[in-house]
Amino acid sequence: MKAKIRKIVTFVEETRREMDKTIEPATRRAAAAAVIENPFAGRYVEDLSELIEIGEELGALLTERAVVALGIPGPSAESYGKAAAVGENGELEHAAAVLHPKLGTPVRRVLGKGAALIPSSKKRGGIGVTLDIPLGHKDAAYVRSHFDGMEIRVSDAPRANEILVAIAVTDSGRPLARVGGLTKDQIKGEDGLR
Amino acid sequence: MSSAEVRKVVHIVEEIFHEGGPRANVPLRRAAALAVIRNPFAGKYVEQIEEFMNDLKPLGLEMAKSLVAELGGDAKVVEGYGKGAIVGADGEIEHGALWHVPGGYAMREILNGAKAIVPSSKKVGGPGARLDVPITHINASYVRSHFDAMEVGIPDAPRVDEMVLALVMTTGARIHARAGGLKASEIKGEDGLR
């Protein structure tokens, strides 16, 4: 593996009740995050291809971890998202290199489909910084019930020369979705939008 | 006996490969199970609260079993443990103390009668409050390599009338433990201390 991983953290949230209503089945979402060494920390490097390759590796690894944590087959996943936090000796562009050029293909391979853009967020931050991973339906970005976000943090990362990279996967939308819009049973699945 | 009303459960698993030193052949794993429950005593002073410990027993067992499952399903791999509680603002710290018996004895039962006292921390806090759950060896509290802590928290809990209950299990010593003291290999196993 090109990625030098210090640790991997997985998070699973299962919501069983909300506003005194039972959520049946419970909504579930998982995030898997890797803390990696930033090969370009502390200097300007023009060619970011090493981080692009690392992104491809992490796309597969973290999606598999998240799906295993949910205990579902990949194709049963409903929404997804990705995010990265670069430690203080790195550059925002390093997060972009990990997340954008090559990470998506293996994510979609694990999940079977995924016509929609994978929503993303990125930042530079210190140890314990929070990541709000945006979530959207994997086959149709306009499915309103699945617009969401999952907050995670790893208390000892990213150190200055590290990058925290996370992928979130769900088997459901918000617990009590009721603001209308496109629903998942109306997905045409042609353009990744509707 | 009634049962605790659970709004949400969260699981966090950390897999630690190194922390700047040699990469471990077997990574250290630390797992936390968190349950967000309604605090039946929120907003008023109630003198008699002990009975609620019985209501929490099934939840403690469920959480302890889920931690063993996340660490591979064999209780023998578990070497460290800890517990904690965050009480929402309309509750009192004493409500968090109700977790000592059902949380601690659930883990000791699932871990085949672990001998050491289960270390704990607790606080009153708002949504997103973080708790450092202390960790020690399951059979001998003085094993220095296993003194550790895991920071946990949930962005949207506890609300004022809720409590977050936490159990933590680990598979071994700190990743680069080298601060001396009693070793796990030297445990006598008579008193839970050495």
Side-chain angles (χ1 to χ4, degrees):
Chain A
M1 245 195 149
K2 283 201 171 68
K4 290 184 178 158
I5 300 176
R6 175 163 70 83
K7 75 195 279 189
I8 297 171
V9 185
T10 59
F11 306 81
V12 180
E13 293 189 7
E14 181 175 317
T15 300
R16 300 177 183 178
R17 292 184 68 78
E18 180 75 5
M19 288 294 158
D20 277 336
K21 290 180 179 298
T22 301
I23 308 298
E24 183 65 50
T27 57
R28 302 177 73 231
R29 52 195 194 172
V35 180
I36 64 164
E37 183 183 297
N38 182 350
F40 306 134
R43 62 205 165 103
Y44 177 81
V45 177
E46 181 63 31
D47 179 359
L48 300 177
S49 47
E50 185 176 350
L51 274 176
I52 293 172
E53 302 302 319
I54 286 172
E56 186 173 25
E57 292 178 340
L58 295 180
L61 173 75
L62 296 178
T63 309
E64 280 161 10
R65 290 288 182 117
V67 164
V68 167
L70 282 179
I72 60 170
S76 299
E78 294 197 352
S79 63
Y80 56 15
K82 61 187 178 182
V86 180
E88 63 190 84
N89 286 347
E91 183 188 350
L92 197 60
E93 200 62 13
H94 298 159
V98 171
L99 290 177
H100 299 307
K102 288 193 172 176
L103 179 138
T105 302
V107 172
R108 295 183 170 96
R109 197 163 54 232
V110 175
L111 300 184
K113 213 174 160 190
L117 187 93
I118 305 176
S120 64
S121 66
K122 63 177 77 60
K123 62 176 23 164
R124 178 162 48 199
I127 280 191
V129 72
T130 55
L131 269 183
D132 287 306
I133 310 170
L135 289 167
H137 196 285
K138 77 181 203 297
D139 299 315
Y142 277 95
V143 174
R144 201 178 291 167
S145 55
H146 286 55
F147 293 160
D148 202 353
M150 181 169 175
E151 182 185 321
I152 66 154
R153 71 200 286 274
V154 177
S155 58
D156 69 347
R159 285 181 160 110
N161 296 344
E162 294 179 330
I163 307 174
L164 173 66
V165 185
I167 292 177
V169 176
T170 79
D171 70 357
S172 43
R174 296 185 306 278
L176 297 172
R178 58 189 190 286
V179 297
L182 187 71
T183 59
K184 66 180 182 182
D185 51 315
Q186 296 168 334
I187 294 173
K188 287 185 193 146
E190 288 160 12
D191 57 3
L193 295 172
R194 294 181 178 83
Chain B
M1 189 177 86
S2 55
S3 61
E5 190 180 299
V6 179
R7 173 165 70 86
K8 175 174 188 173
V9 295
V10 174
H11 287 128
I12 305 166
V13 181
E14 296 189 352
E15 189 171 5
I16 302 165
F17 300 96
H18 73 82
E19 198 185 349
R23 192 180 168 91
N25 291 325
V26 180
L28 167 66
R29 304 184 74 211
R30 314 195 298 182
L34 312 175
V36 182
I37 66 161
R38 194 175 72 83
N39 179 353
F41 311 119
K44 55 189 183 287
Y45 179 80
V46 178
E47 180 64 33
Q48 300 293 339
I49 57 174
E50 275 189 45
E51 184 57 30
F52 193 55
M53 290 193 283
N54 290 324
D55 298 346
L56 291 174
K57 278 181 182 169
L59 180 64
L61 283 168
E62 177 195 327
M63 290 164 69
K65 283 178 190 162
S66 74
L67 286 173
V68 171
E70 266 162 356
L71 294 173
D74 182 357
K76 290 196 186 77
V77 305
V78 177
E79 296 187 4
Y81 58 19
K83 65 185 188 309
I86 309 173
V87 181
D90 282 354
E92 57 175 307
I93 194 70
E94 194 66 12
H95 302 155
L98 293 169
W99 186 230
H100 287 296
V101 168
Y105 281 97
M107 288 199 290
R108 293 170 78 163
E109 180 182 329
I110 295 298
L111 299 177
N112 306 311
K115 290 193 172 60
I117 189 169
V118 183
S120 63
S121 61
K122 57 182 159 305
K123 70 190 332 178
V124 174
R130 308 293 296 181
L131 185 70
D132 291 317
V133 180
I135 298 166
T136 54
H137 195 284
I138 63 167
N139 285 320
S141 298
Y142 276 93
V143 174
R144 198 178 295 168
S145 57
H146 286 56
F147 291 159
D148 201 352
M150 183 168 174
E151 187 186 317
V152 300
I154 304 174
D156 73 347
R159 287 174 166 142
V160 291
D161 60 348
E162 294 179 332
M163 288 195 272
V164 173
L165 303 176
L167 295 182
V168 169
M169 293 186 192
T170 72
T171 60
R174 296 181 307 278
I175 194 70
H176 302 313
R178 57 189 190 287
L182 184 70
K183 295 183 174 65
S185 58
E186 297 166 346
I187 293 173
K188 287 185 191 147
E190 290 160 9
D191 58 3
L193 293 172
R194 293 180 178 84

